[in-house]
Amino acid sequence: MNANDVDNALQEFRDVMSADGYLLRWEPTDQGRVVVTIEAGEGACADCLVPKAVMEAMMAAALEPTAFGLDHVVMPGSQETNSLAPGDQQR
């Protein structure tokens, strides 16, 4: 996996979300896909996030120029947990 490709593809979103108090991170799956996690920081703008379906469409489009597809997005307050396969790393 070329982590730089994914980092570059998601950098604009990372910058915008950081300005609104959110942290965007990603982790690869064992199937060449990416799980994007958005975490709310202290004082995060709760009204600044789009619905999950819209966020997933935006992230999937951003990843199109890379060799990796979007698996899913974990939004703040979600009950989802990320389970990494052995050998997968979080970024």
Side-chain angles (χ1 to χ4, degrees):
M1 169 173 264
N2 187 342
N4 288 332
D5 288 347
V6 177
D7 282 336
N8 290 338
L10 298 177
Q11 187 60 51
E12 181 180 341
F13 293 103
R14 185 177 285 119
D15 293 343
V16 170
M17 289 186 188
S18 176
D20 290 331
Y22 292 93
L23 172 68
L24 183 147
R25 60 185 177 83
W26 64 272
E27 55 197 46
T29 69
D30 59 348
Q31 292 140 359
R33 300 182 66 76
V34 173
V35 175
V36 174
T37 301
I38 301 168
E39 298 175 349
E42 188 173 327
C45 173
D47 294 332
C48 293
L49 289 180
V50 297
K52 183 176 180 176
V54 174
M55 186 67 73
E56 287 185 329
M58 291 175 11
M59 296 294 159
L63 290 168
E64 281 181 3
T66 75
F68 311 98
L70 179 69
D71 188 86
H72 67 280
V73 174
V74 178
M75 301 285 281
S78 171
Q79 298 301 316
E80 294 179 68
T81 59
N82 293 335
S83 56
L84 295 175
D88 283 349
Q89 298 177 356
Q90 181 174 308
R91 296 208 26 102

